[in-house]
């Protein structure tokens, strides 16, 4: 397929690389030294986002936040006017479910189709083509996109109609965020009580507390390796999406709110660009523990 891929961040770069390796004709823009390897692998470097999508059958967006997606689609020099009728737009960013439905309607008015397909799995999942992909949209559009999803992920599910993929991702981020906080509190407790947190983590991995987050993020906390991964500021953004949606639904999410507040404190102390496992540093600060 001819693909326009917009968004070459920590996860976008390996995702685009898998599509290139699979033989697809991929156009990218805003090529920086860190993404130059994609051109060397066969991607076409376009002068602008519009140029990257002009001849595309499929457009994939992998951007940080709702305003970024809106700007790329509909802002000055936005891509929507460069799309050919029949183009499939796949937004793999993690953004507002409400805004997603609005964006989809505008794109469909141009004679194109739309899927929201946010992902989970972080940089490791992106590099290993092992992402979980949560998709919202029509069955026909999903079937068209599935061969591409299978090059980037392993656990691929159509959740429902447009917007439902983003809803699933928000739910995912609630679970991940609260579990990271739980793991951080447990390991901090172990350390403060005089136990070796690495050995505590190893013991817990054999019991009912075992989880992927305890395995991966617990190890990062113990080893103090906080390079992203997935940035704290982006996870705080996702929990803000959850709380905004909860407010509109008159829904109480008290633990989500408290975790979001801790992440805001992490940003205030300059940790926004660290991996979200770095949340333990904020708890350490609150407990006067280094």
């Amino acid at each position: 397929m001819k693909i326009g891929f917009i968004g070459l961040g920590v996860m976008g770069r390996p995702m685009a690389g898998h599509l290139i390796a699979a033989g697809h004709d991929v156009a990218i823009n805003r090529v920086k030294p860190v993404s130059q390897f994609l051109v060397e692998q066969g991607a076409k470097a376009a002068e602008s986002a519009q140029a990257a999508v002009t001849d595309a059958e499929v457009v994939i967006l992998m951007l940080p936040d709702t305003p970024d997606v809106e700007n790329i689609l509909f802002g000055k020099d936005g891509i929507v006017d460069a799309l050919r009728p029949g183009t499939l737009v796949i937004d793999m960013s993690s953004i507002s479910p409400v805004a997603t439905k609005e964006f989809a309607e505008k794109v469909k008015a141009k004679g194109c189709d739309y899927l929201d397909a946010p992902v989970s799995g972080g940089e490791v999942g992106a590099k290993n083509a092992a992402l979980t992909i949560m998709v919202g949209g029509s069955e026909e559009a999903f079937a068209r996109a599935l061969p591409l999803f299978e090059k980037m992920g392993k656990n691929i599910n159509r959740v429902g109609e447009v917007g439902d993929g983003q809803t699933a991702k928000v739910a995912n981020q609630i679970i991940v965020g609260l579990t990271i906080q739980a793991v951080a509190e447990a390991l901090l407790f172990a350390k403060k009580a005089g136990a070796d947190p690495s050995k505590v983590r190893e013991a817990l991995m054999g019991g009912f507390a075992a989880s992927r987050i305890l395995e991966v993020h617990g190890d990062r906390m113990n080893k103090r390796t906080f390079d992203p991964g997935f940035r704290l500021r982006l996870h705080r953004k996702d929990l803000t999406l959850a709380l905004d949606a909860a407010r509109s639904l008159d829904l109480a999410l008290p633990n989500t709110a408290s975790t979001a507040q801790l992440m805001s404190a992490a940003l205030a102390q300059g940790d926004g660009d660290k991996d979200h496992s770095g949340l333990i540093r904020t708890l350490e600060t609150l407990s006067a523990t280094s």
Side-chain angles (χ1 to χ4, degrees):
M1 297 184 189
K2 289 186 176 181
I3 301 169
F5 197 107
I6 309 296
L8 302 177
V10 170
M11 295 177 66
R13 291 192 297 271
M15 292 165 67
H18 294 313
L19 297 174
I20 296 165
H24 295 290
D25 184 357
V26 179
I28 57 179
N29 76 308
R30 296 188 67 185
V31 178
K32 300 178 180 178
V34 72
S35 51
Q36 180 62 37
F37 75 95
L38 294 171
V39 176
E40 295 168 359
Q41 290 177 357
K44 173 186 175 183
E47 295 181 356
S48 66
Q50 283 191 345
V53 307
T54 298
D55 296 320
E57 301 168 74
V58 176
V59 172
I60 296 176
L61 308 179
M62 187 60 182
L63 299 166
D65 203 349
T66 306
D68 302 297
V69 175
E70 183 174 23
N71 184 58
I72 280 291
L73 287 171
F74 312 113
K76 183 181 178 182
D77 301 321
I79 66 172
V80 71
D81 291 328
L83 300 176
R84 300 184 305 174
T87 301
L88 173 60
V89 176
I90 307 174
D91 181 23
M92 304 188 77
S93 322
S94 295
I95 69 168
S96 164
V98 175
T100 290
K101 294 177 182 180
E102 296 172 357
F103 299 165
E105 288 302 315
K106 292 180 180 179
V107 169
K108 289 178 179 180
K110 295 288 185 178
C112 302
D113 212 340
Y114 196 99
L115 291 174
D116 57 299
V119 302
S120 179
E123 182 182 12
V124 172
K127 286 183 174 179
N128 294 331
L131 293 169
T132 290
I133 306 176
M134 297 154 270
V135 188
S138 70
E139 292 183 359
E140 294 78 10
F142 176 71
R144 183 178 172 189
L146 186 57
L148 303 180
F149 292 149
E150 289 173 339
K151 300 302 179 184
M152 297 181 283
K154 297 295 184 185
N155 183 27
I156 304 161
N157 290 280
R158 177 180 174 266
V159 181
E161 298 303 322
V162 167
D164 290 345
Q166 296 293 353
T167 296
K169 177 58 187 292
V170 170
N172 178 88
Q173 295 302 80
I174 291 172
I175 294 171
V176 172
L178 271 61
T179 307
I180 285 176
Q181 180 181 337
V183 169
E185 290 187 6
L187 295 180
L188 180 58
F189 166 76
K191 181 178 180 180
K192 197 76 170 180
D196 182 338
S198 296
K199 291 183 178 179
V200 169
R201 171 189 163 275
E202 184 178 348
L204 296 179
M205 282 301 299
F208 203 55
S211 71
R212 181 67 171 159
I213 289 172
L214 178 62
E215 177 188 359
V216 174
H217 292 82
D219 190 48
R220 288 176 177 172
M221 292 173 191
N222 286 332
K223 292 180 178 177
R224 317 301 290 180
T225 52
F226 299 127
D227 294 336
F230 187 72
R231 287 177 170 83
L232 261 164
R233 69 173 66 256
L234 293 179
H235 204 147
R236 198 273 300 265
K237 177 264 298 182
D238 290 342
L239 294 191
T240 301
L241 292 175
L243 294 172
D244 288 345
R247 189 177 301 110
S248 69
L249 296 168
D250 293 327
L251 175 66
L253 299 178
N255 292 326
T256 300
S258 66
T259 301
Q261 287 296 307
L262 280 173
M263 289 183 174
S264 291
L267 268 64
Q269 69 182 36
D271 285 351
D273 289 322
K274 287 183 168 58
D275 185 77
H276 48 179
S277 59
L279 190 65
I280 194 172
R281 286 167 46 89
T282 306
L283 292 166
E284 289 168 344
T285 299
L286 290 172
S287 299
T289 302
S290 63

